[in-house]
């Protein structure tokens, strides 16, 4: 959705809220500000497959402490190495 709020974690541990890079320590406050007029909205978390689990966990914790009850995880279908068929 165009109005979806997405938190992305890159393989090097960078955290983005939408297109803006944020520190994990500031993530909760920024999510709270974005949700001020949209109570009950789901926040989606997308992480690079190579991201450390701890970085993902920290981001989810920050979102949850902002008062978000609904956290969705986004996945991407892995491209097959032999996409040409069998």
């Amino acid at each position: 959705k165009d109005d979806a709020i997405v938190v992305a974690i890159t393989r090097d541990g960078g955290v983005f809220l939408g297109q803006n890079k944020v520190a994990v320590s500031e993530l909760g406050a920024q999510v709270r500000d974005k949700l001020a007029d949209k109570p009950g909205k789901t926040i989606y978390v997308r992480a690079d497959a190579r991201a450390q689990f701890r970085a993902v966990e920290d981001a989810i914790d920050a979102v949850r402490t902002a008062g978000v009850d609904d956290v969705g995880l986004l996945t991407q279908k892995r491209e097959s190495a032999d996409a040409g068929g069998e």
Side-chain angles (χ1 to χ4, degrees), residues 7-22 24 45-56 59:
V7 174
I9 300 95
T10 61
R11 66 178 164 190
D12 63 355
V15 178
F16 290 81
L17 179 57
Q19 300 295 320
N20 303 318
K21 188 169 185 176
V22 297
V24 174
V45 175
R46 179 178 62 218
D48 188 291
R50 297 161 290 191
Q52 291 186 358
F53 180 75
R54 184 68 189 166
V56 177

Side-chain angles (χ1 to χ4, degrees), residues 1 3-4 7 13 18 21 29 31-35 49 55 58 60-62 68 71 78 83:
K1 291 184 179 180
D3 67 338
V7 174
K21 188 169 185 176
V31 166
R32 194 175 305 114
D33 290 346
K34 280 195 171 276
L35 294 178
D58 289 346
I60 292 172
D61 284 347
V68 176
V71 177
R78 186 176 290 204

Side-chain angles (χ1 to χ4, degrees), residues 2-3 6 12 16 27 31 35 55 59 61 66-67 70 73-74 83 86:
D2 292 337
D3 67 338
V6 178
D12 63 355
F16 290 81
L27 182 60
V31 166
L35 294 178
D61 284 347
D70 294 323
L73 300 177
L74 298 175
E86 297 178 273

